[in-house]
Amino acid sequence: MKEFPKETIWQKKIHQFISDPSKVFKTTKGNRLQFLSPGKLNRNPGPDFLDVAILINSNVVICDCEFHIKASDWINHKHSSDPMYANVGLHIIFENDTELYEKFETLVIDSESLPEPKEEEPLTENEFIDTIDELQNYALLRLLRKTADARILANSMPLKDALNISIKNYLYKYLAKRHRPVYKNFDFDEFANGLTNSELFKFLIDIQNNEQFNITERFYTMMKTRIHNEGNHLRREILLNCVLPLALAIANEEQRIGLFVWFWSTPALNSYGILTTKFKNIPQNFIWQQQGMLEILYNFGKKSKISPQNFLKIGEVLNFFQIGNPPFPSSYNLSD
């Protein structure tokens, strides 16, 4: 039996389908699945999608993804003995007609639920990225990079000190780039003294103590509650760049899922002027889109492709992040 030609209508539809990071699925093994980045649509021999980033239960994994109409097509195409498919971590199918004794996860989807593929025009006016899908890779890289830094802090000192240093380091950079009168005489010591009784610190303590609560509601409360005399914009930046990474670094598995869901589904409060200028015709509808653009400016400054190599050092620090072959950690299974 022959493979479908690369870049078939199904391949395009599925790539668009898995490009929404807010959707949550369950695999045939009963594991929770969320697509953080759809990866690259492969026009050459090998898996249909390369370097797909998924959240499998509470673990972030970068792997390849293969699509077939039926599960048995994996056997018929003899992929198990083909080294090009050794990094497949997810198998997407329409019909689960046979059980595969493979290490990868399998996702069964309804072909009727797939959107009509859009002909995405190249972003010719933008010097940084070719497609909006690429932003998800950059957003994930930024979040995990900051979380790895936060994990190092959290492992070496009390949580209060880790938060204090994280915010202090961020504020020095933030205030150095802006010359707003309201922050001209910013007193960090006075700001830091208010952290102990702040909603931010209470949130992190509850994470550390494995408390159960609604993460989205707590983030909403933190966004609305002043620490000192900072404005809404600065407080939001502290949440994204300091509190969220620290929370991910110390969270248990269930909390980590909630934190990722918040990051990938929360609308942006407003647009960043510099991003509007630098990234023409690219929306800033969600926080993750803005974070992806900021990571491009921070780490690259010019058009560049992300590969698993960009994530290697992060994987040395974060035990919930993995590149490559399954099996994936399966200590946290969702019940039906």
Side-chain angles (χ1 to χ4, degrees):
M1 181 181 294
K2 293 184 178 180
E3 281 273 24
F4 284 93
K6 289 300 175 187
E7 207 171 350
T8 63
I9 190 71
W10 288 127
Q11 194 185 37
K12 290 180 179 179
K13 283 185 175 184
I14 290 173
H15 194 247
Q16 185 174 327
F17 181 73
I18 66 177
S19 294
D20 184 352
S22 65
K23 292 180 179 178
V24 178
F25 306 92
K26 182 180 286 189
T27 69
T28 57
K29 295 179 180 179
N31 292 319
R32 182 190 185 280
L33 173 68
Q34 189 172 355
F35 291 93
L36 304 184
S37 172
K40 298 183 287 289
L41 195 153
N42 184 21
R43 297 175 174 86
N44 301 305
D48 292 296
F49 312 105
L50 305 176
D51 300 333
V52 179
I54 59 176
L55 183 66
I56 186 73
N57 294 326
S58 63
N59 297 281
V60 178
V61 179
I62 295 180
C63 60
D64 296 336
C65 175
E66 175 69 354
F67 161 71
H68 287 122
I69 299 293
K70 298 180 179 181
S72 58
D73 290 337
W74 177 271
I75 300 173
N76 296 333
H77 300 159
K78 300 180 180 180
H79 289 329
S80 295
S81 59
D82 189 337
M84 285 195 299
Y85 292 82
N87 200 38
V88 169
L90 181 65
H91 191 207
I92 297 179
I93 57 174
F94 292 155
E95 184 180 341
N96 195 17
D97 62 331
T98 188
E99 185 173 0
L100 297 177
Y101 297 95
E102 300 286 345
K103 295 178 180 179
F104 53 64
E105 296 285 341
T106 298
L107 176 65
V108 182
I109 61 175
D110 181 2
S111 61
E112 297 296 324
S113 66
L114 296 179
E116 288 300 318
K118 298 177 181 178
E119 290 297 330
E120 188 171 11
E121 298 181 1
L123 300 173
T124 53
E125 295 185 30
N126 195 279
E127 62 179 302
F128 297 106
I129 60 174
D130 295 319
T131 66
I132 294 178
D133 289 342
E134 292 179 47
L135 277 184
Q136 290 173 242
N137 274 329
Y138 289 108
L140 178 62
L141 177 61
R142 183 177 182 84
L143 180 59
L144 293 181
R145 176 175 61 80
K146 288 180 175 291
T147 301
D149 291 341
R151 170 67 66 82
I152 294 173
L153 283 178
N155 286 347
S156 60
M157 63 188 68
L159 184 58
K160 178 183 175 182
D161 295 338
L163 176 62
N164 192 305
I165 290 176
S166 178
I167 292 179
K168 188 173 184 178
N169 290 340
Y170 177 75
L171 285 179
Y172 281 151
K173 297 176 183 178
Y174 180 91
L175 298 175
K177 294 180 181 179
R178 291 161 173 79
H179 304 284
R180 300 177 182 179
V182 67
Y183 296 126
K184 189 172 183 180
N185 298 315
F186 190 87
D187 189 335
F188 178 80
D189 291 333
E190 190 173 345
F191 180 87
N193 289 335
L195 286 177
T196 303
N197 296 320
S198 69
E199 289 295 328
L200 278 64
F201 187 60
K202 293 176 184 177
F203 171 78
L204 290 174
I205 288 295
D206 286 345
I207 291 285
Q208 188 178 57
N209 293 336
N210 296 320
E211 300 289 345
Q212 293 185 346
F213 55 87
N214 187 304
I215 286 178
T216 299
E217 290 181 0
R218 289 292 290 273
F219 266 100
Y220 179 80
T221 299
M222 289 188 289
M223 282 188 172
K224 295 295 183 181
T225 307
R226 280 192 173 186
I227 304 166
H228 180 45
N229 65 345
E230 80 287 348
N232 292 334
H233 178 84
L234 176 56
R235 189 162 56 254
R236 178 192 59 185
E237 294 301 312
I238 290 173
L239 282 172
L240 279 171
N241 292 280
C242 306
V243 177
L244 176 61
L246 264 175
L248 279 170
I250 64 175
N252 63 32
E253 293 175 328
E254 189 168 2
Q255 291 169 338
R256 196 182 307 136
I257 290 174
L259 292 167
F260 274 116
V261 169
W262 180 84
F263 178 77
W264 292 105
S265 61
T266 300
L269 294 180
N270 48 43
S271 297
Y272 290 17
I274 187 173
L275 299 183
T276 302
T277 301
K278 294 283 188 180
F279 298 88
K280 298 177 181 178
N281 302 324
I282 298 181
Q284 298 183 43
N285 298 328
F286 292 92
I287 283 176
W288 69 262
Q289 291 172 329
Q290 294 176 326
Q291 292 296 297
M293 295 181 221
L294 289 171
E295 183 65 10
I296 294 173
L297 296 180
Y298 167 84
N299 209 27
F300 299 97
K302 60 182 179 180
K303 188 177 292 185
S304 178
K305 301 300 181 185
I306 289 183
S307 73
Q309 300 300 317
N310 295 102
F311 293 91
L312 284 178
K313 289 189 178 296
I314 294 173
E316 296 173 1
V317 178
L318 301 179
N319 59 357
F320 62 83
F321 176 70
Q322 176 181 335
I323 298 176
N325 300 327
F328 309 131
S330 57
S331 59
Y332 183 82
N333 291 322
L334 297 182
S335 58
D336 293 331

